[in-house]
Amino acid sequence: VGTKSERAALAALSRLLMDSDPLAVPFYEAVTQARWFKWSSIHAAAVAALLEANGAEEESRSLIADSAARLESGADLALFYCDLMAAFSSRGLKRRAMDFYAQLRAMPTPLAGGGKTYMAMIKSLCMMGLAAEAEEALRVMLSLGYQPDAFQFGLVAKCYGKAGQLAEMERVIASMSDAGIRLGTGAANIVLSCYSACREHGKMLAWLKKMRKLRVTPTTKGYNFVLNSCPTVVSMARELDPSLPLSAAQLVRKLKSASPWPAEAEVVQELLAASSVLTKAMVWSETEVKLNLHGFSITSAYVLMLQWVDALKVDRTLPLEVSVVCGVGKHSDVRGEPKVRELAQEVLSRTGSPLRLSARNKGRLVAKRDRVKHWLATEWTSMVPEESTDQSTNSSDQQQCLPNLLRKLGQFFSSFVPVSR
């Protein structure tokens, strides 16, 4: 599509279909009448699936028949069946999706369209949750001399992983090297996400060590996968009790002594050893050093801040200003509840940090260099010693009540303290 308005029209159609908007079908019919309109297999399949999902089966089947009749080559028809499989399965119409798969399998082999057709087929089968069939299509693709990329292997591995079939997932990832494909961050994240879902800390630890050996650095997404699978750390970040560790070393020690999950402490320790995530999240300039917490879960933000403070202590040549960007809750589970900001304020306030909410940006904590240097020169520990466990319930409640009250008061008054920028 050439002009800006034509591209905008197709983008609007895609959005309507994605949102299952009732206007999608009449909008599609109107667009098809335009002179510039070029038929699209993906759009036709999406409209057909939406019609059937809304109970208009006759209209759906008519659209499919008309679309198939206009296709002149076997390659185009095979791709259309793949798009139909994906569109119908995405709306929960798996039986109909299987009908299109049967039609695809009935076509002469090898399928027309070459590698492109097999790539589309693998993607659609994975959307349908048919991992074994997708892996078989991957094998056929390789046997025919077509070269799949890491994305196809990743799709199949993820499909196995989502079904809890970790051995099969591992086999597919291992087969990438046989096909001459180097392990990248995408495939590495898929493995981490699958181990995370199953809380396989032992396997996750081994995989993190393998990543380090192959020099595949964790990403923000991988960092979230790992830490969100660590129940003890998740509980710490949510509850923020008085014994919350305030340094990376304290965190590891507490996990070793208190975590009921044998490998949890080692997993966190291995992740802390990789500085790539912190390096990307921390921006240094002549005027400012900034930690950007966008994209991190609450648990990940907590651990990353501990790493960040350690890094600041090592490098005392600070610029004029130090800040933490944590947002105002636009992407929180409940919009407008800045959970990451609340966590950042709480953790930093417990360490005596001078960082306060900026007067101009309520999603940013900021302080001047001299005050930060003085803060970093001090030592801080948890409000309650880790060994102090022999306390009555009433005493524990009283100890938690006062810090919580002080924290709330501090957060309330900090919004009125004028801070530059």
Side-chain angles (χ1 to χ4, degrees), residues 47-316:
V47 172
L50 179 60
L51 283 167
E52 184 133 346
N54 290 339
E57 293 183 11
E58 289 187 14
E59 290 89 334
S60 173
R61 292 170 192 246
S62 175
L63 174 59
I64 292 169
D66 291 344
S67 298
R70 69 186 298 164
L71 298 174
E72 297 177 354
S73 69
D76 289 339
L77 183 59
L79 286 173
F80 184 44
Y81 285 143
C82 290
D83 289 333
L84 287 168
M85 288 161 59
F88 276 74
S89 64
S90 69
R91 295 196 178 278
L93 303 169
K94 189 169 182 179
R95 183 176 296 178
R96 285 289 286 140
M98 290 299 293
D99 291 341
F100 299 122
Y101 179 41
Q103 290 177 276
L104 181 65
R105 293 180 65 185
M107 295 182 72
T109 55
L111 292 173
K116 185 178 179 181
T117 301
Y118 282 96
M119 286 181 182
M121 181 181 179
I122 290 167
K123 181 180 178 181
S124 298
L125 288 169
C126 289
M127 288 184 68
M128 295 165 65
L130 302 176
E133 288 81 353
E135 187 181 8
E136 178 59 28
L138 191 61
R139 287 198 198 99
V140 172
M141 186 178 177
L142 285 164
S143 68
L144 292 172
Y146 302 124
Q147 184 60 45
D149 55 29
F151 182 72
Q152 275 73 50
F153 282 92
L155 285 174
V156 178
K158 187 175 183 179
C159 192
Y160 273 127
K162 286 175 70 176
Q165 297 174 277
L166 298 184
E168 288 78 3
M169 176 205 70
E170 292 162 356
R171 184 188 65 238
V172 172
I173 292 294
S175 69
M176 288 175 62
S177 59
D178 298 334
I181 299 174
R182 181 181 176 275
L183 179 72
T185 55
N189 281 341
I190 286 170
V191 176
L192 289 175
S193 71
C194 295
Y195 287 153
S196 171
C198 299
R199 287 188 178 174
E200 287 282 356
H201 293 123
K203 291 186 175 183
M204 188 181 292
L205 177 61
W207 184 251
L208 286 170
K209 288 181 177 180
K210 182 176 181 178
M211 286 173 62
R212 179 155 53 88
K213 186 178 179 180
L214 296 174
R215 297 183 180 180
V216 178
T217 57
T219 62
T220 299
K221 188 179 288 187
Y223 197 85
N224 285 334
F225 285 142
V226 173
L227 291 172
N228 289 346
S229 74
C230 296
T232 311
V233 186
V234 171
S235 178
M236 289 178 184
R238 287 179 179 173
E239 295 175 8
L240 298 174
D241 65 36
S243 63
L244 181 75
L246 298 177
S247 73
Q250 285 180 28
L251 174 63
V252 173
R253 281 199 302 271
K254 183 159 186 176
L255 289 174
K256 285 181 177 179
S257 64
S259 174
W261 301 83
E264 185 176 8
E266 292 179 83
V267 165
V268 173
Q269 197 166 18
E270 181 67 29
L271 193 64
L272 289 171
S275 59
S276 59
V277 175
L278 176 63
T279 301
K280 291 178 182 177
M282 187 165 58
V283 181
W284 288 80
S285 69
E286 293 182 0
T287 59
E288 181 186 26
V289 57
K290 175 173 62 178
L291 178 67
N292 190 344
L293 296 178
H294 283 117
F296 291 92
S297 67
I298 294 174
T299 307
S300 297
Y302 162 58
V303 177
L304 190 68
M305 282 195 297
L306 301 185
Q307 283 186 278
W308 177 68
V309 172
D310 287 344
L312 291 183
K313 284 185 172 184
V314 172
D315 194 339
R316 295 293 181 86

Side-chain angles (χ1 to χ4, degrees), residues 321-358:
E321 207 165 63
V322 177
S323 67
V324 176
V325 178
C326 37
V328 292
K330 287 183 179 179
H331 304 291
S332 299
D333 292 337
V334 179
R335 185 180 175 87
E337 290 188 8
K339 297 295 185 182
V340 171
R341 189 186 74 183
E342 290 174 3
L343 171 90
Q345 286 180 284
E346 173 66 11
V347 172
L348 291 172
S349 68
R350 291 192 187 187
T351 65
S353 163
L355 277 78
R356 297 291 183 268
L357 279 179
S358 167

Side-chain angles (χ1 to χ4, degrees), residues 4 12 19 35 86 206 210 291 334 372 376:
K4 189 174 181 179
D19 296 339
R35 291 181 181 179
K210 182 176 181 178
L291 178 67
V334 179
V372 172
L376 293 175

Side-chain angles (χ1 to χ4, degrees), residues 387-399:
E387 298 80 13
S388 182
T389 55
D390 185 19
Q391 300 172 356
S392 68
T393 304
N394 290 337
S395 174
S396 176
D397 290 343
Q398 289 172 1
Q399 285 185 334

